[in-house]
Amino acid sequence: MTTPRKLHIKSYGCQMNVYDAQRMVDALAPQGFVETASADDADLVILNTCHIREKASEKVYSELGRLRVAKDEAARNGRTMQIAVAGCVAQAEGGEIIRRQPAVDVVVGPQSYHHLPRLLRDAAQHGRALDTEFPIEDKFGLLPPPSPKAIRARGISSFVTVQEGCDKFCTFCVVPYTRGSEVSRPVKAIADDVKRLADNGVREITLIGQNVNAYHGDGPDGRPWALGSLLAQLAAIPGIARLRYSTSHPNDVEDTLIAAHRDLPALMPFLHLPVQSGSDRILAAMNRRHTADAYRRVIDKFREARPDMAFTSDFIVGFPGETEQDFQATLALVTQIGYAGAYSFKYSPRPGTPAAEMQETVSAAEMDERLVRLQTLIDTQQSAFNAAAIGTTVDVLFERAARNPGQIVGRTAFLQPAHVMASPDLIGQVLPVKIDSLERYSLLGALAQSADLNANVSSVQPASSRMMIGA
Ligand code: 5AD
Ligand code: SF4
């Protein structure tokens, strides 16, 4: 048996990175690596980086500076610490990282994680190793699946990558360059993953991809399947109570996806649908290839199919050429849609993207000011959305014990955390909760029919036989 080696992995950025980090842990487990919470005593530290906005990539170099000190300290104590940089900064600036930071042993792009064990060996034997190729082979098929133990340790909600890359080329965005063009995994491979997760206690699956609703993986009938059909297939897997997907582009919303929201109780009525701007002029400059009206129509279609559907979005303020009038159009769109929440960002030019060549016209002060105005509006909408839950009874999927003794915490269909006093035996179940109050972003309530449940906790059925409760 190999002696255990300690692996510390730090992820920045999107859900895809969080999930990729788990897959790297799974890929390294056969080499005897076990995760550790601190970088200082690790034998291998992986920085899983994000390139989407400027600040995200700057962090990498300052973090590497700190790690270099830890590595030197380890060497003084007779230990070897390897440092690997993964993720989108690795993909975009691999050579630069190697040049700028001699402490880095391995640079590995998102398409090459299955090569990590070999790259670490190469680096140990011959110095440093870099792999930022876009291989033709299916990296998903080459990454080992998580062990049952790892699945159980990760809880009842899990991500599954179904699609990677993006062919949209929005002018501000690095994703098409760092993650490459769209690739979809076959339906069967995804269904097998979801079955394995469900068999080990997972109740909620979030399908992820940079442009997830462009999904078109090979179906069992040999034809490409759209996301709606994939969701229908997964909803039928025993144990799966909730399905979600992220992130979507308005132009790839097909009628089958709308139908899935109408027909599949397990598909949550909550969607992250970025729009970036409410101004048609700016949308065109961003190469979003849709108007504000087209976006509104997509939202309307979802709402017709599922009247309780709620939305979140992403916005960029200060894109080159954005006038006060353009920004007003964004505020107007937000007001018309009424969001459950949204992320807003100041535009940051990314090297290599078309927008980086455009003349920046919005000053830093104006950007700050627009960001505050937009966030204030969104915060108001988010608070109203959360407050509307007070007094209602909502289904909650319980995830874990809460910090307060005796409390457990779960999430509503809209991902709002909900706390109740209840037995941890209920973790993994979807149960109705009467919401009494709101504390910041958390809902507080009590199990509906709690008298019956309390008297009867020992007779609550196991999670897997309660799959449709709450759906
Ligand atoms: N500047 C600011 N925000 C950006 N995003 C992507 N690229 C940039 C950029 N260059 C935002 C978009 C996207 C989210 C993930 O990050 O809003 O939807
Ligand atoms: Fe980037 Fe999303 Fe546009 Fe693709 S659709 S280029 S991921 S912003």
Side-chain angles (χ1 to χ4, degrees), residues 136-452:
I136 311 140
E137 80 246 43
D138 170 19
K139 77 156 180 176
F140 297 110
L142 295 167
L143 279 163
S147 67
K149 195 171 151 211
I151 296 173
R152 290 190 177 273
R154 287 169 192 166
I156 58 134
S157 182
S158 181
F159 296 132
V160 171
T161 299
V162 300
Q163 178 280 338
E164 193 168 357
C166 185
D167 296 339
K168 287 280 183 288
F169 289 93
C170 300
T171 52
F172 53 81
C173 184
V174 287
V175 166
Y177 311 97
T178 55
R179 292 278 176 166
S181 56
E182 283 169 13
V183 181
S184 296
R185 297 178 64 204
V187 171
K188 182 170 183 313
I190 296 164
D192 287 349
D193 278 1
V194 171
K195 277 185 205 128
R196 187 178 313 105
L197 292 166
D199 285 347
N200 289 288
V202 170
R203 312 288 333 275
E204 175 179 76
I205 301 283
T206 304
L207 305 181
I208 53 173
Q210 267 87 28
N211 188 9
V212 72
N213 59 332
Y215 175 82
H216 55 268
D218 291 339
D221 56 4
R223 294 164 194 235
W225 280 27
L227 185 62
S229 313
L230 173 69
L231 286 162
Q233 173 101 353
L234 302 180
I237 293 175
I240 295 305
R242 288 183 167 183
L243 290 170
R244 306 177 184 277
Y245 56 93
S246 190
T247 293
S248 304
H249 189 287
N251 286 5
D252 291 319
V253 174
E254 292 183 10
D255 288 345
T256 51
L257 186 59
I258 305 275
H261 277 278
R262 187 191 60 216
D263 300 338
L264 303 175
L267 184 54
M268 292 295 101
F270 191 45
L271 184 61
H272 185 59
L273 195 63
V275 63
Q276 316 297 354
S277 169
S279 152
D280 288 346
R281 226 172 53 79
I282 296 299
L283 286 169
M286 288 176 163
N287 192 34
R288 291 290 293 180
R289 294 186 254 190
H290 62 77
T291 58
D293 243 354
Y295 179 82
R296 276 188 284 264
R297 282 198 299 274
V298 172
I299 298 264
D300 287 346
K301 272 198 200 175
F302 279 113
R303 284 185 166 148
E304 275 157 32
R306 266 306 291 246
D308 57 343
M309 192 96 184
F311 298 89
T312 57
S313 194
D314 290 339
F315 294 91
I316 297 176
V317 301
F319 187 81
E322 186 188 71
T323 61
E324 171 61 24
Q325 206 183 352
D326 294 315
F327 178 65
Q328 293 276 351
T330 299
L331 295 178
L333 180 69
V334 173
T335 305
Q336 284 155 5
I337 304 285
Y339 286 102
Y343 300 97
S344 33
F345 308 103
K346 289 188 271 187
Y347 168 71
S348 88
R350 307 310 293 130
T353 60
E357 308 295 312
M358 298 177 193
Q359 176 71 41
E360 284 191 62
T361 57
V362 185
S363 71
E366 278 170 320
M367 272 199 217
D368 285 338
E369 189 245 2
R370 286 180 194 171
L371 192 73
V372 170
R373 282 159 69 200
L374 178 57
Q375 273 177 348
T376 307
L377 176 59
I378 290 163
D379 285 350
T380 310
Q381 293 191 340
Q382 183 168 8
S383 303
F385 181 81
N386 289 336
I390 298 171
T392 67
T393 298
V394 298
D395 286 327
V396 172
L397 169 57
F398 288 106
E399 292 185 353
R400 57 188 166 81
R403 229 172 279 149
N404 285 350
Q407 262 190 354
I408 56 174
V409 60
R411 290 191 184 263
T412 68
F414 308 111
L415 289 178
Q416 298 148 301
H419 290 72
V420 301
M421 295 297 289
S423 160
D425 293 348
L426 303 185
I427 289 166
Q429 296 193 28
V430 180
L431 293 169
V433 170
K434 171 95 190 307
I435 304 299
D436 302 321
S437 61
L438 174 67
E439 214 170 77
R440 278 183 64 84
Y441 298 103
S442 283
L443 301 171
L444 307 180
L447 288 175
Q449 312 128 20
S450 61
D452 316 4

